[in-house]
Amino acid sequence: MPLRLNAVLSCDKANKGEGGVCVVGRVRLGFANLTIEFVDRDLALKLIDEWAEKSTFPVQVIYGPEGCGKTAWLLQSIELLKDHGFEVVYVNPINRLAFAEVSINSLREEFFKLVKEAIAQSALARIAWIAYNVVYDVIKATRGKVAVIVDDAFQVIGVKESALYVKALLNLIEYPPEHYEKIVTIAATSEGVSRYEIGRHRWASIRIMWNMPKEGFRQLYEQLPGGKPPFEEVWRITGGNPAMLESLYRVGWSAERVLREIIARKNLHTFTSSLGPGDREVLVRALEDPDALMSREGIPLMNRLIELNLIINVPPWRDEYLWVDQPPPEKDEELGIGKYVAWQSPLHREAVRRVLGMPG
Ligand SMILES: Nc1ncnc2c1ncn2[C@@H]1O[C@H](COP(=O)(O)OP(=O)(O)OP(=O)(O)O)[C@@H](O)[C@H]1O
Ligand SMILES: [Mg+2]
């Protein structure tokens, strides 16, 4: 995979968001073989505005279903933070993406040199620390407004070190090398396991980003060219997960192919074959109501489903301050959303249903 350093985020500066939220242009993003415009997520962008005003404390860790749109939002946020006068460092080791929108050329060049070396040596975990070090030096040199965004690094860093990394980011806030004006520190992950490890400490505030709300998702759907199934049907099977939409588009809208991909990628036949009769029975119940997992006999199974990135344990409250962007509904049986537990998308649930041999 090629390294994309400061890949151009092209902006249409004339294009303004609703409600005066996003004053910067909408970035354009890769989507299957297309380039599409960032849409919706107004509340999530408003949150960035708030953080830019107030600074973040403690570190903000964003967790959400795989493919719910964390990276897209963070890429749009780089533009927003730049507009607020921030120096921004962004890394995404898994996607080999690195941006350094910093005013000191020598630091930017050093950063890219080190990131390239780390990639050449397949030392992806090092990239997160390179970002940390450059941000430390930027604070020292500018004493200004600095943002560090670490996207999808926890998988490569590992669970234990992720917690230490978050602690290091908190140290940047609490014990900076120089007094700074503002600081924004964000780390995003779709790994449920690292979320637990991080949540044990006071070092981070964890917020969940859910799949897209219906009207925002419609805007994404409408950008896709060619013949496509009706929107309601696409909504029903994706639950607003943009990566599922991308997968469907890529395979010519064959839900069957996407299902098989999920089953193979997550090795679901092996998983279900390993279940005892009790767990199997709970899993069958969880197809109808994921909250069935929130029970004494269901919790070990729930943890395995979290590890497999099939479900998410969500806070029972839907107050906006706990979420990035719009929370999911309290309960939605059709989409597989419970009060405490939710399937990452209806297709994730369908994949499990299929391997269990249950009728749809
Ligand atoms: N608000 C949006 N506007 C336009 N495109 C979007 C939006 N959100 C997501 N996408 C597109 O949907 C796809 C999946 O989104 P993205 O990669 O941001 O998800 P993610 O949560 O970062 O996934 P992962 O868990 O794999 O890191 C990408 O092609 C992305 O460009
Ligand atoms: Mg991502």
Side-chain angles (χ1 to χ4, degrees):
M1 192 190 297
L3 168 64
R4 287 167 62 208
L5 298 173
N6 266 11
V8 182
L9 294 173
S10 62
C11 292
D12 171 8
K13 290 279 177 194
N15 189 354
K16 300 208 169 143
E18 296 293 310
V21 173
C22 178
V23 290
V24 297
R26 298 273 163 165
V27 294
R28 297 193 66 81
L29 302 157
F31 189 96
N33 59 347
L34 308 169
T35 308
I36 55 159
E37 188 183 87
F38 179 84
V39 290
D40 193 58
R41 298 299 198 187
D42 291 349
L43 289 177
L45 295 173
K46 210 167 117 206
L47 193 58
I48 296 286
D49 279 335
E50 273 171 33
W51 289 341
E53 287 299 319
K54 293 199 303 223
S55 290
T56 48
F57 183 88
V59 178
Q60 300 297 320
V61 171
I62 312 303
Y63 170 61
E66 48 181 15
C68 71
K70 298 174 292 295
T71 297
W73 165 61
L74 292 171
L75 292 177
Q76 178 68 59
S77 299
I78 297 176
E79 293 303 303
L80 202 50
L81 286 162
K82 270 166 51 187
D83 207 55
H84 279 281
F86 275 74
E87 314 257 343
V88 188
V89 175
Y90 169 98
V91 285
N92 184 326
I94 289 193
N95 291 353
R96 289 162 167 73
L97 265 176
F99 296 90
E101 299 286 347
V102 298
S103 53
I104 298 163
N105 288 341
S106 57
L107 287 181
R108 188 171 55 240
E109 281 156 20
E110 178 70 5
F111 169 74
F112 287 142
K113 187 174 125 256
L114 293 174
V115 171
K116 272 187 198 156
E117 276 171 18
I119 288 180
Q121 294 165 13
S122 297
L124 296 183
R126 208 194 296 152
I127 294 174
W129 290 105
I130 295 169
Y132 171 85
N133 289 335
V134 77
V135 166
Y136 188 92
D137 290 341
V138 170
I139 293 175
K140 221 156 131 181
T142 67
R143 304 177 184 193
K145 299 180 177 181
V146 184
V148 53
I149 304 176
V150 185
D151 190 5
D152 256 342
F154 295 163
Q155 283 103 312
V156 294
I157 294 181
V159 174
K160 287 277 171 212
E161 199 180 329
S162 295
L164 293 177
Y165 185 76
V166 170
K167 177 71 181 7
L169 291 179
L170 181 65
N171 277 344
L172 266 188
I173 302 178
E174 292 187 315
Y175 307 107
E178 285 290 345
H179 182 73
Y180 54 76
E181 204 181 324
K182 294 272 163 58
I183 190 162
V184 169
T185 51
I186 306 173
T189 184
S190 54
E191 282 294 308
V193 184
S194 47
R195 170 199 179 187
Y196 281 139
E197 181 59 29
I198 291 159
R200 291 171 47 224
H201 308 280
R202 66 160 187 106
W203 307 332
S205 152
I206 300 181
R207 283 185 187 241
I208 302 193
M209 180 174 221
W210 191 246
N211 295 323
M212 296 184 79
K214 198 166 182 180
E215 287 318 304
F217 191 65
R218 191 192 299 273
Q219 291 172 42
L220 190 56
Y221 164 90
E222 276 166 6
Q223 289 190 61
L224 304 182
K228 46 195 169 192
F231 175 72
E232 287 301 330
E233 191 182 323
V234 175
W235 171 256
R236 200 174 42 77
I237 61 172
T238 62
N241 182 295
M244 288 294 143
L245 178 70
E246 189 177 17
S247 298
L248 282 169
Y249 174 77
R250 194 178 272 131
V251 299
W253 303 104
S254 162
E256 183 58 34
R257 280 184 61 179
V258 175
L259 271 184
R260 288 182 186 180
E261 268 172 26
I262 300 173
I263 292 169
R265 184 158 46 86
K266 296 187 186 284
N267 229 337
L268 292 187
H269 284 114
T270 312
F271 166 65
T272 51
S273 305
S274 75
L275 296 176
D279 278 351
R280 198 185 159 88
E281 188 263 327
V282 178
L283 189 55
V284 168
R285 276 197 282 131
L287 295 173
E288 300 312 316
D289 177 10
D291 283 337
L293 294 160
M294 195 49 110
S295 60
R296 190 161 169 219
E297 71 279 15
I299 300 239
L301 176 63
M302 178 170 85
N303 290 336
R304 291 185 71 188
L305 293 166
I306 289 173
E307 255 173 62
L308 283 167
N309 271 341
L310 286 166
I311 61 156
I312 276 202
N313 194 194
V314 292
W317 313 281
R318 299 305 198 254
D319 308 67
E320 263 166 22
Y321 75 93
L322 287 168
W323 300 80
V324 172
D325 210 60
Q326 284 188 30
E330 272 264 322
K331 206 148 181 101
D332 187 325
E333 271 173 29
E334 197 177 19
L335 298 184
I337 297 168
K339 186 168 178 194
Y340 301 94
V341 185
W343 290 97
Q344 292 207 359
S345 79
L347 276 162
H348 286 81
R349 177 185 54 187
E350 198 50 41
V352 173
R353 194 197 302 278
R354 177 69 63 91
V355 287
L356 285 172
M358 302 300 290

